[in-house]
Amino acid sequence: VQRRAQDLQLRTYFSRHQRPPALAVLDFAQPAEAVARLVRAFDHGGYRNPIAAAKVWSQGGVFVPSAVEVLTEKVCSLPGIRNIIVGGAIANFTDVKKTFGGIINGFRKAKSEGKLKNVKIWVRRGGPREKEGLDAMRALKEEGFDINVFDRNTPLTDIVDKALQVK
């Protein structure tokens, strides 16, 4: 890693009384990286954020999505997508059920917007609360999702091979 001095002309700062543009309402016309950056900037984990929370306005009202949910919606919007692989190593501290909750919300929203037609979803994850998380993912099959769910005992490379074999 090479150290580099910060360009002080490019820095930004929000004072106690300033608020972000549009009160941190997400603009999905922006690139996915910009949307994700805003969500991460205001996501303080389990701690109170006194400035703002990234939020989405919808017909159902206002809601505060997780970074995972926002990124899932963006992935589901990619043109020509045929497979989505939700996979990772066996987590030590990440609550699998909570993470999957954001992904499931993203999938549901994308499907309600007519996305995910003919898209196969492949899931493989392990870690804290994995059973509850994997069961929640399996339940999406009942909602019409083409989803295949595997636990920690299936190597992630096998899941990728299965996804690539699908025509």
Side-chain angles (χ1 to χ4, degrees), residues 90-112:
I90 298 170
N92 290 328
F93 304 108
T94 303
D95 183 329
V96 174
K97 182 182 179 201
K98 184 175 181 182
T99 302
F100 280 0
I103 295 170
I104 289 167
N105 289 340
F107 283 160
R108 285 179 175 147
K109 184 170 191 291
K111 186 175 181 196
S112 74

Side-chain angles (χ1 to χ4, degrees), residues 76-149:
C76 293
S77 298
L78 294 172
I81 193 166
R82 294 190 331 233
N83 288 287
I84 295 175
I85 299 174
V86 179
I90 298 170
N92 290 328
F93 304 108
T94 303
D95 183 329
V96 174
K97 182 182 179 201
K98 184 175 181 182
T99 302
F100 280 0
I103 295 170
I104 289 167
N105 289 340
F107 283 160
R108 285 179 175 147
K109 184 170 191 291
K111 186 175 181 196
S112 74
E113 295 171 351
K115 300 169 187 165
L116 296 181
K117 291 180 180 164
N118 302 315
V119 174
K120 291 193 172 295
I121 301 170
W122 305 85
V123 179
R124 186 274 190 187
R125 190 74 165 138
R129 296 182 54 186
E130 73 182 82
K131 180 181 180 336
E132 297 96 326
L134 294 172
D135 287 346
M137 284 289 198
R138 284 186 189 99
L140 290 176
K141 196 175 266 293
E142 297 167 14
E143 297 177 34
F145 287 88
D146 188 353
I147 190 164
N148 303 278
V149 181

Side-chain angles (χ1 to χ4, degrees), residues 4-22:
R4 178 172 43 138
Q6 178 182 7
D7 184 342
L8 300 180
Q9 300 300 317
L10 298 176
R11 70 180 173 187
T12 57
Y13 169 76
F14 283 99
S15 71
R16 178 189 313 220
H17 302 292
Q18 280 182 301
R19 294 294 179 251

